[in-house]
Amino acid sequence: MGKDVIIACDFATGKETLDFLGGFKGRKPFVKIGMELFYAEGPDIVRKIKAGGNRIFLDLKLHDIPNTVRKAMARLSGLGVDVTNLHAAGPSNMMKAALEGLTGPDGRRPLLIAVTQLTSTDQETMENELLIREPMENVVMHYALNARNAGLDGVVCSPLEAAAVHGVCGSSFITVTPGVRFADGDKGDQKRVMTPSQAAAAGSDYIVMGRPITAAADPVEAYERAVRDFVGEG
Ligand code: C5P
């Protein structure tokens, strides 16, 4: 898998999502399906989008006991998704169980990436509520290393952390980075943002962009701009 732009399809219904993707005509962007759409529509929406030919990152952020995660991941693997994820706060026994569950009889499996610390959690919250007293950067790198040592393929992180993650975990460990905005765009509720070309320079392997594409007057044009800025083609 090379560098690519993943569109966060944060729509409330399957119909809206399929209408949106229909606008891309022949193009088949890589899409992210999150909890909102999955819980509204169930696994059928994943099957429908997959049948349309798009690659899918299923962003459900699992975190449970190893046995439950193993079995849940086996179900998700059966949907044919390309990438899925879990919380690195669930320790390495959970991460290894997830890999077992994802691996099919032929030995193939979707890529598995870990959420280190949510970007909505800041240092103060982490210290006062989670009682984790290390600097955020150390926590993120430690969780990334745990994920790599458990056999995972990468992490979801801020583009600002991508270079450090590659430094600690190696250049082939994938960084998937949300929090990306066009230079002339609205930041919305994202605080620390980078443009697609800055994220590329910072070493992101995949950028996740939602509203700058989904809410654009011309989503296909916005997507093509993101691809041009990030991977240099369009
Ligand atoms: O619309 P926007 O570009 O902000 O969408 C970003 C997407 O990435 C959303 O689906 C959001 O849930 C997700 N995300 C994020 N920050 C994280 C993890 C996931 O923005 N740390």
Side-chain angles (χ1 to χ4, degrees):
M1 312 229 306
K3 278 185 182 287
D4 209 349
V5 175
I6 302 178
I7 305 178
C9 288
D10 294 323
F11 297 108
T13 66
K15 183 179 181 321
E16 271 177 273
T17 313
L18 295 171
D19 286 350
F20 170 78
L21 292 176
F24 284 78
K25 310 274 188 284
R27 280 200 89 145
K28 299 291 174 188
F30 202 146
V31 300
K32 180 172 92 69
I33 298 176
M35 293 185 205
E36 181 186 5
L37 184 59
F38 190 80
Y39 292 153
E41 298 286 347
D44 258 0
I45 187 64
V46 178
R47 293 191 189 97
K48 277 185 190 146
I49 294 173
K50 193 71 211 166
N54 299 79
R55 282 180 296 158
I56 298 177
F57 166 23
L58 188 56
D59 177 21
L60 299 181
K61 301 186 178 69
L62 274 65
H63 185 181
D64 208 320
I65 60 171
N67 186 52
T68 302
V69 169
R70 181 187 296 107
K71 289 177 176 171
M73 285 294 188
R75 298 274 78 77
L76 300 184
S77 188
L79 295 175
V81 298
D82 299 276
V83 183
T84 191
N85 64 354
L86 46 65
H87 274 285
S92 59
N93 61 0
M94 184 197 80
M95 297 195 231
K96 287 177 185 160
L99 286 171
E100 287 165 19
L102 282 177
T103 306
D106 59 358
R108 290 162 56 88
R109 62 167 176 80
L111 294 178
L112 181 62
I113 60 179
V115 177
T116 53
Q117 281 290 344
L118 291 170
T119 44
S120 52
T121 303
D122 59 14
Q123 184 75 34
E124 194 187 344
T125 311
M126 197 175 69
E127 288 186 15
N128 296 340
E129 298 187 22
L130 307 182
L131 296 184
I132 298 172
R133 302 222 156 90
E134 291 280 323
M136 179 65 81
E137 165 105 0
N138 293 4
V139 176
V140 170
M141 296 309 142
H142 183 70
Y143 282 18
L145 210 46
N146 281 350
R148 197 209 59 182
N149 291 341
L152 269 67
D153 304 292
V155 286
V156 181
C157 64
S158 159
L160 297 149
E161 295 158 353
V165 168
H166 283 136
V168 169
C169 297
S171 58
S172 59
F173 194 68
I174 297 165
T175 52
V176 177
T177 65
V180 179
R181 293 289 180 267
F182 293 118
D184 52 2
D186 181 3
K187 284 190 190 175
D189 52 0
Q190 297 281 13
K191 296 201 173 71
R192 301 188 308 151
V193 299
M194 278 193 179
T195 65
S197 54
Q198 287 168 339
S204 291
D205 297 296
Y206 293 87
I207 52 172
V208 174
M209 290 181 88
R211 289 159 292 178
I213 296 173
T214 56
D218 184 344
V220 179
E221 197 269 328
Y223 169 72
E224 282 170 355
R225 179 182 174 192
V227 173
R228 258 194 325 271
D229 287 4
F230 186 61
V231 284
E233 59 191 66

